[in-house]
Every structure is written in C-alpha cells, then in structure tokens.
Amino acid sequence: MDKQMDRRTFISYLGTGAAALAVASAGLGTLEGKASAASKTADHLFGYGTNRVSGHFDPIEPSKADMLLLPQGYRYDVVAAYGDIINEKGEAFGQGCDYNAFLPINGSSTRGLLATNHEYTNIFLTGPIKDGTMTQKQVNDSLAYQGMSVIEVYRDKDGVWKLDKSSKYARRINGFTKFELTGPAKGSAAVGGKTTVQGTFANCSGGVTLWNTVLSCEENFSELAEAAGLPLTHYGWVVEIDPFDGAYLRKHTALGRFNHENTAMGLASDGRIVVYMGDDKKDACIYKFVSKGKYDPSRGRANSLLLEDGTLYVANLKSGSWIAMTIDALKKVLDNKSFKAPSGVKSTREELLKLFQTQADVVTNCHEAALILGGTPTDRPEDIEISPFDNTVFICHTNNDSHGNIHGHITRIFEKDNNLSEISFDFEIFAAGGRQSGFSSPDNLTFDGNGNLWVVTDISSSSMNKGVYTSFMNNGLFVIPTSGPSKAQALQFASGPVECELTGPFFTPDEMTLFLSIQHPGENTTDLSKPTSLWPHRPGDKIPREAVVAISGFKLG
C-alpha cells in the first residue's frame, strides 16, 4: 500500500472516473486529475447508471484492536447480530453471517430486504465439541443456525439503520427447509433419485440474479452433512431464493456441485445468461455456466429456467480456454486406455468409467470431472465479480501455502471480444497480496459506482498477527482502483475486531450505505468464560456476536 497517498491524491484518481465525467458534462469544471474520454475505462463509463463517488476517505492503518475501525467521518450501526429475533414468529438471526444482498422495497435505498448467508456455527452456539463428535443437539442447532436469514431493514429519520421485526417477509431458511432440485441431476441416481432435498447449510457467498432473486452458495458442507446423516450429494449446489416469496426455493444442479464460494451473473452479447463461480479449496478450478436460452426482462422470475439448461465450462489458464464439461467430452478422455488420472483425482480409470455415466454424474462430481478434462488447479478461487464498466472478470485467489502463494492475488480475465460467452480468454494478475500491497488473502469483492474494487481479506485466525502475517494485523476492507494512475494500489477502509473475517460487502443502490458482515470474532476461544473478543460490545453480552453492520458516511461526488 502506498503509505504516502493522502485524501487529496485519492480524490484525484477518483476524479478520473465517473464523477469527473459527470462534472465535465455538467459544465462545472474538472476535479483534480484528468478525465480522458479516450481511455479504455472512460470509454466504458458512458451508459453506466451512476455518477457517484463512494470513496472519499482518509485511509486507516492496520490495527489489532477488538473494534470495527473506520475512517474519520464514517460510522456503523449493528443491524442484526447472532441470536437477535428477526420476526414476530420469534426466529433468531443465524450464526456465521457472510454474504449480504440488499433488495430495495419500492425502489428505496433506505428500506429493503437484506438476505444474509450463515456459513457455519461455532463454540458460542454449540459449546465445546468433545472428541470431534457432535451430539444430536449440536447437530440440530447447527442445522438451525446455518443457511440464510431474510430480514427487513430501514434507515430511520436520524439516519440509523434498524431491523423491522414486524416484517411480513422476515424468515429463516436453514438445514431443515425443503428445496426443489432442478437441472440434470434432478431425480438422477447421483442424488439417490430425489427431486427434493432437505435444507441448505454452509452458505458462503452468493449473488443477485438479473430478475432480483438471490443465489446462495453451499461451500464446506461435508462435515455437517455427515454428522447429520444426510446424503453428501444433496449439498454443494447453488441455491436460489426469492426474498419476497418464501415458497420459492431451488437448487440448480446445472451449475455444478463443489465447494461454491459465490456466483457472478452477466449477459453474453447474444443475450444468454453467464454465471461465473469459484471452488474454494486448494488446487480447485474456476467455472462458468452459459445458458442455452436467452434472457427476457419481460419474463421476470421465469428467467430462472435459464439456470436449468446450458453448458458448464472449466477454465484452462495455460491455454486461455473454457472447456465444456459434457459427458461426451469426459467419456472421450476416459476411453483412452493410456489415460492417467491427473493430480487431485485418486480413482482409477475403471472406477471413473463406472462413476461417470450421465451428465448428472458430471455435475455431481464436478471437481474430478474438471481436472480430468484439463481444468487448471488454482489457489482457492473465492469471490468472482464482473466489472460493470468493461466486462472484465475479477477473481480472488485467497492463497495456497502448498505452492508458496502465501498472500494470494486477484486475477483479471479478459474474455475474447469482450463477450462473456466466448470460450477463449486472456488474463492478468491484477493485484498480488503481500507487504508491497498492504493486504493479504483477498476474499470477497464488490464494485462501487466508479469501478473501484472493494476487497475484504481472510487471513486465518490461526495465522493472524503471526510470522509473515504480522504487519497486516486484523483482517480488513480495502479499496483498489481498477484504472488510472493508482490502479491496483490498495487503501484500507476498515479493520475488523479480533480474529474476525470481514465478509459480504454490498452497497445500497444510492451507495450511501455499505452492508458488511463481521464473521467469527473471537474464533480462537476455547473457554467460554474467557472469550478472545467481545465485539460488538453490547451491554450484557458475555460472548462476541457475529453481525451485519450498515456503514454510513459516504458522500456523493
């Protein structure tokens, strides 16, 4: 991170984006710096529906404090914390809060539904787990407190964000909720012939569809599924919910089964839906799904059918190509008697021929199929986002200490002809974690209205403030410009409490509020009487509580 960069300089490079173009077109002169309509970024700014600047701030320094620290002029409200009652039925906000999606009510940026993922549970719910085996109560509590929450939130006349417990929409979706399967694995032998399954859990990140439903991703599902005696193949899918309709619950098998981090949805040049996805584990692959049919805005939620039929691809970074993951392609590889299983695939050729019989088998055993077909193993591909300005695709590779990638990096993919459905691409390492950049282990991403990338980090609690991670201190939130003279330079906007991970950044449409999850503060606690964190330091609390906060203080350009 450039320690010499100050507020004046930061406003200067923000001035090369949408705000500067807006000022110039309004005849109000120019901001500091130059706005060049000839630049690649400026070419793509026109037509994008915002003139806002959401980044005027004085960068903060790293911290080890048990606080959520923000720049001067910014504040936060705790909107919902683990255990808070969210509705008149008495349901409680889950644990392990992660991804957030704000869905406006009647177009409002001050009242809407907030869909939040709950990734996992910990000692502050279940108590210590003896000998690594959960009791039935611990299993049931974990199933109940993972999944998702839908809550209604609003900003009151004093500018404070609050939870509306009287909402008719507020509800929990968890490990006991019934879901309908769609796509090639529905009713197949790969999922035990089932068309419906019990529950969703291990919900990490997600995405919002073009028809305003929410996609939620099941990530590290194996441990709880095994403890609960549930079939593993019923989990590891992309889930779709409609925050405004509690009866709408789908798992889309055409998008593949693996340790999903998130989804990023865009449109191909011909109108087909494209969904990018990462598999969050070491030596795992990057995927995209391209629908067979085309998006029709007039059809609304019926466009969800597009997620049931299409082609799933895996990325080969060496050749710059997307490989179609079809049963025919897989059988062609396995039919070769000289086939040797690639690293990461332990089964023999005979075992694989028996495993892969149909397309349902391909999507259900996605990781193995991807490696067999030539997908490139990468360093924990987590959040993926599509730039709203130029259709380039940003991917957080959090880290992979097995290969010496200690601090991770952010990859940027350039699809051929700027078309998301193309099967050829180029890429660059947009930003690398480490001392030189001031951040380590990038995780979730979001863009602001100027095309700046907001990045949260995920240094593991066991490594935080130790060894080569010492200088980064607690996990944080950073802003990284994607163009201009300060391209790829990180500025720290927030520092989280002790042993937490910041997750799920999501702006309201007017960019005056940023929702952010504070996940697992005090994660290293082993003695409940001596928690290592007490954030958010609410009166009467004797344990830390994971929470979603609403950050205010953003000013328009």
Side-chain angles (χ1 to χ4, degrees), residues 405-425:
N405 187 359
I406 306 301
H407 298 299
H409 60 275
I410 301 173
T411 303
R412 186 182 198 178
I413 284 180
F414 301 83
E415 297 280 26
K416 181 182 177 183
D417 298 329
N418 203 34
N419 180 8
L420 299 183
S421 66
E422 280 288 346
I423 59 171
S424 299
F425 64 88

Side-chain angles (χ1 to χ4, degrees), residues 497-510:
V498 168
E499 295 162 11
C500 91
E501 174 188 349
L502 302 180
T503 60
F506 199 99
F507 282 101
T508 53
D510 64 2

Side-chain angles (χ1 to χ4, degrees), residues 3 176 228 271 429 490:
K3 301 292 186 181
F176 297 104
I429 304 302

Side-chain angles (χ1 to χ4, degrees), residues 7 10-11 14 52-58 70-77 109-110 155 158-161 454 477 493 506-508 510-515 549-557:
R7 180 174 179 275
F10 190 46
I11 293 176
L14 285 177
R52 295 180 293 277
V53 174
S54 56
H56 294 96
F57 66 92
D58 294 314
L70 303 173
Q72 184 177 359
Y74 293 81
R75 59 181 294 273
Y76 71 87
D77 304 309
S109 285
T110 59
R155 193 174 69 204
D158 297 318
V160 177
W161 280 91
W454 292 66
L477 169 61
F493 179 84
F506 199 99
F507 282 101
T508 53
D510 64 2
E511 291 187 1
M512 298 295 283
T513 301
L514 174 66
F515 292 101
V549 301
I551 299 174
S552 304
F554 300 97
K555 297 177 176 61
L556 302 185

Side-chain angles (χ1 to χ4, degrees), residues 500-537:
C500 91
E501 174 188 349
L502 302 180
T503 60
F506 199 99
F507 282 101
T508 53
D510 64 2
E511 291 187 1
M512 298 295 283
T513 301
L514 174 66
F515 292 101
L516 186 68
S517 289
I518 316 301
Q519 190 183 89
H520 61 67
E523 183 181 37
N524 286 344
T525 297
T526 56
D527 183 345
L528 287 171
S529 68
K530 300 176 182 178
T532 56
S533 169
L534 282 174
W535 189 90
H537 305 282

Side-chain angles (χ1 to χ4, degrees), residues 6 8 44 80 93 99 130 150 212 300 370 418 469 493 520 535:
D6 58 16
R8 179 182 178 89
H44 291 276
F93 197 67
Y99 176 72
K130 296 181 180 180
V150 175
N212 287 320
N418 203 34
Y469 297 100
F493 179 84
H520 61 67
W535 189 90

Side-chain angles (χ1 to χ4, degrees), residues 40-41 262-264 276-278 286 381-397 409-415 420 428-431 443-447 451-455 480-483 487-488:
K40 180 179 179 181
T41 301
N262 87 312
T263 65
Y276 291 88
M277 299 166 287
I286 304 162
E382 294 211 44
D383 212 332
I384 303 178
E385 297 294 339
I386 304 167
S387 169
F389 289 89
D390 60 10
N391 257 13
T392 58
V393 181
F394 289 77
I395 305 168
C396 276
H397 287 93
H409 60 275
I410 301 173
T411 303
R412 186 182 198 178
I413 284 180
F414 301 83
E415 297 280 26
L420 299 183
E428 68 181 16
I429 304 302
F430 170 72
D443 190 338
N444 294 157
L445 304 170
T446 195
F447 282 93
N452 299 304
L453 199 60
W454 292 66
V455 184
I480 307 180
T482 60
S483 63
K487 172 184 173 181

